[in-house]
Amino acid sequence: MLLRITRRLCVAQGPALSASRYALPLRRYTTTAAAPNTEEDDEPMPVAVKKTYPPKLTLQGKTYKTDSWTNVSAAIQANLGANLHLQPSHPISITRKIIESQFPGDIYIPHNNLPPIVSTAQNFDSLGFPKDHPGRSKTDTYYVNENTVLRTHTSAHQLDTFRSNPTKGFLISADVYRRDAIDRSHYPIFHQMEGARWWKQTGTEAQLASEISKETESIRAKVADKVIIEDLKEEFNHERNPLQLGHSPVVVAAAASHLKRSLEAVVVELFTKARAAAGEAATTEPLKMRWIEAYFPFTSPSYELEIFWNDEWLEVLGCGIVQQDILHNASLSREHIGWAFGIGLERLAMVLFGIPDIRLFWSKDPRFLNQFKAGKVSPFQEFSKYPVCIKDVSFWAPEEGLHDNDVMEVIRATLGDIVESAVLVDEFVHPKTGRTSMCYRINYQSVEKTLRNRVVNRRHLELTAALKAELGVEIR
């Protein structure tokens, strides 16, 4: 029999351990697991069959034809429309509302109910993604069919919103979908928020810059004594962070300053609430932030904002001056200039509420959900630490090779949220046959219940069967 499950290390109690802490040689573990359940040896081996999709899929009330590109798993389909960002007492929604509160509603129109299924033209072409960009790959993106995807970013709606928004500013919040790693900070569904603001030059460049600067001063005044900013010496650099062709240096400098001051106000509000939640309400020491140069395909010049939090610099968001082609494609004339930013809501919420595992956002356990109230940042109280069980699965990869995201997707689809992390810990090429051996370490740990050895053993067998069926591997 080819099937062989490597030895397991099960821990009876204690918090999750990171893979980097396992310094023992592979496949040489002693075990602290409970005695095996001998009755499981009499159960038939799980058999998996490679997934196939029906000719048509109905998602959110609309029917789509499937094809060779279709790769949206049943688990992902089941969570379409969950809209955590719209559930008032959910940490994701609370974070969103705090951010929205810092942008005047007469200018910034919120768009929070945009459909998650978009065309490849919206998701990629409208933003200038080249045809060979890795983000277009089936290994990275969930395809409904060749021309239709689950949005991978809120920017899929950017062009349409620039075109149709009734004011000169907007905010977009939504769930986005990506095939990705399995660990405590990554999940195939997460939430983004982005915003944009633009102006039209009707007079001279100096007049437009002055108009923008007046707005900026009122924003700056709100937080001037609450933050220490380490800013860039220059808003753009012709080599590292260039101006766009045709852009006025004085107007770009004014727009970039407006962008930075707007986002500093957001971060001050968020982290002031986080301080209060942590019992530091009386702290008068200003928050420390710094701006660094960055690169994003949709903006230039581009920036990232970091905050000094818990004795380390934490990246908070990315932003920049919108590429003029995007504005032009939205039927905004060359006289327009604008900025845009993007924020990952889970990343911020994990910091603000002290939530250690991204899977908790999807928990329906009242011990989690009842901890939070709309409009309030309160520290997460851990309600239990469930046992860890670690198992390895080793296999020979098919001749054409494997992408890590494909392995992760099979693990997610088969095991769901009982996996805390999955890491490639061993890989080698056989010197004689040229075949590649891979070993993944699976950390089984639920955020809601204790997993019994018998259950984990069975699920691990299901995983090996699924890996064989879906990816054509040969289990070692």
Side-chain angles (χ1 to χ4, degrees):
M1 182 183 296
L2 292 174
L3 180 63
R4 178 174 68 81
I5 309 303
T6 55
R7 295 182 177 87
R8 63 185 181 272
L9 173 64
C10 293
V11 183
Q13 59 185 6
L17 305 174
S18 64
S20 63
R21 292 178 62 180
Y22 298 103
L24 296 174
L26 294 178
R27 297 181 291 278
R28 293 181 185 174
Y29 292 131
T30 57
T31 178
T32 58
N37 302 84
T38 55
E39 65 267 27
E40 66 191 37
D41 296 334
D42 298 329
E43 296 183 2
M45 185 72 68
V47 176
V49 178
K50 185 175 178 64
K51 288 196 303 285
T52 59
Y53 291 92
K56 295 181 180 180
L57 277 181
T58 299
L59 303 173
Q60 295 199 307
K62 187 174 180 180
T63 300
Y64 301 86
K65 290 183 178 180
T66 61
D67 56 27
S68 61
W69 286 78
T70 307
N71 67 350
V72 184
S73 68
I76 297 297
Q77 293 178 40
N79 281 317
L80 278 172
N83 292 334
L84 301 185
H85 66 296
L86 298 180
Q87 298 176 18
S89 296
H90 196 283
I92 299 297
S93 180
I94 296 170
T95 304
R96 170 186 65 82
K97 292 288 288 184
I98 294 172
I99 297 171
E100 286 181 348
S101 72
Q102 298 304 297
F103 293 96
D106 59 334
I107 297 176
Y108 299 89
I109 306 298
H111 301 268
N112 296 328
N113 288 286
L114 297 171
I117 302 171
V118 299
S119 67
T120 52
Q122 289 173 294
N123 201 72
F124 301 122
D125 300 338
S126 70
L127 298 166
F129 277 71
K131 294 296 183 183
D132 60 350
H133 192 282
R136 292 180 181 261
S137 170
K138 288 172 63 177
T139 61
D140 284 25
T141 296
Y142 290 105
Y143 277 82
V144 178
N145 55 44
E146 184 177 8
N147 299 312
T148 311
V149 298
L150 304 186
R151 62 184 165 220
T152 62
H153 43 214
T154 50
S155 297
H157 304 285
Q158 192 178 94
L159 180 63
D160 294 335
T161 309
F162 269 121
R163 184 181 292 129
S164 62
N165 200 68
T167 64
K168 293 182 179 180
F170 63 76
L171 301 169
I172 298 174
S173 300
D175 46 359
V176 298
Y177 301 77
R178 293 182 195 171
R179 305 176 86 200
D180 210 337
I182 299 177
D183 57 41
R184 288 187 162 213
S185 60
H186 291 87
Y187 203 77
I189 311 172
F190 56 104
H191 297 77
Q192 286 184 340
M193 185 172 186
E194 72 174 67
R197 174 77 165 93
W198 63 98
W199 299 264
K200 182 179 181 181
Q201 181 178 329
T202 56
T204 65
E205 293 173 355
Q207 287 173 329
L208 177 57
S210 177
E211 173 192 341
I212 297 172
S213 296
K214 287 180 182 178
E215 283 187 36
T216 304
E217 285 309 309
S218 64
I219 302 169
R220 187 199 308 270
K222 293 192 302 182
V223 299
D225 60 341
K226 300 177 182 178
V227 62
I228 297 174
I229 299 293
E230 181 183 325
D231 206 348
L232 296 166
K233 293 181 179 179
E234 51 190 3
E235 300 292 6
F236 53 87
N237 181 282
H238 293 295
E239 294 182 357
R240 300 187 310 272
N241 206 17
L243 278 176
Q244 297 173 48
L245 184 66
H247 274 189
S248 159
V250 66
V251 173
V252 167
S257 181
H258 187 282
L259 165 64
K260 291 178 177 180
R261 306 298 84 81
S262 298
L263 295 175
E264 288 162 7
V266 168
V267 175
V268 165
E269 182 69 11
L270 285 166
F271 284 86
T272 298
K273 288 184 179 294
R275 274 182 168 179
E280 301 176 20
T283 300
T284 58
E285 182 180 352
L287 293 162
K288 296 178 182 179
M289 302 182 203
R290 69 182 181 189
W291 289 98
I292 60 175
E293 293 179 347
Y295 168 79
F296 304 109
F298 325 130
T299 57
S300 186
S302 301
Y303 318 99
E304 288 179 349
L305 178 58
E306 297 182 343
I307 184 170
F308 194 71
W309 188 254
N310 291 336
D311 298 323
E312 63 179 348
W313 286 103
L314 174 70
E315 178 189 331
V316 178
L317 55 84
C319 60
I321 303 300
V322 178
Q323 288 285 359
Q324 204 64 34
D325 284 347
I326 294 176
L327 298 178
H328 177 72
N329 292 338
S331 301
L332 296 177
S333 67
R334 292 287 174 181
E335 288 74 35
H336 287 82
I337 188 170
W339 55 248
F341 72 87
I343 294 177
L345 292 179
E346 272 85 352
R347 179 181 177 84
L348 269 179
M350 290 176 80
V351 174
L352 296 178
F353 294 87
I355 294 172
D357 193 317
I358 196 170
R359 293 175 298 166
L360 281 164
F361 290 121
W362 292 88
S363 174
K364 295 179 173 59
D365 192 322
R367 292 175 298 174
F368 175 77
L369 296 175
N370 292 344
Q371 293 189 34
F372 309 106
K373 303 298 180 185
K376 183 180 179 181
V377 175
S378 52
F380 168 67
Q381 301 296 320
E382 194 161 28
F383 45 85
S384 187
K385 292 182 179 180
Y386 293 105
V388 178
C389 188
I390 296 169
K391 292 179 180 290
D392 291 349
V393 57
S394 300
F395 53 78
W396 295 109
E399 290 185 6
E400 63 271 20
L402 279 179
H403 193 288
D404 190 61
N405 282 353
D406 289 332
V407 178
M408 297 296 172
E409 187 63 18
V410 173
I411 295 171
R412 284 193 191 279
T414 307
L415 302 176
D417 286 352
I418 66 171
V419 174
E420 186 267 336
S421 64
V423 183
L424 178 64
V425 293
D426 189 24
E427 182 175 13
F428 71 89
V429 177
H430 194 284
K432 293 184 178 179
T433 66
R435 300 179 73 187
T436 298
S437 172
M438 307 173 79
C439 177
Y440 280 83
R441 182 157 298 157
I442 315 298
N443 183 348
Y444 290 86
Q445 185 184 39
S446 172
V447 295
E448 296 184 339
K449 61 185 178 182
T450 296
L451 300 176
R452 297 183 181 279
N453 282 341
R454 177 182 173 83
V455 172
V456 173
N457 290 344
R458 184 70 181 176
R459 298 305 300 276
H460 202 63
L461 289 173
E462 291 173 6
L463 173 61
T464 59
L467 288 167
K468 292 171 62 177
E470 294 292 334
L471 303 179
V473 306
E474 181 183 331
I475 302 297
R476 297 186 62 213

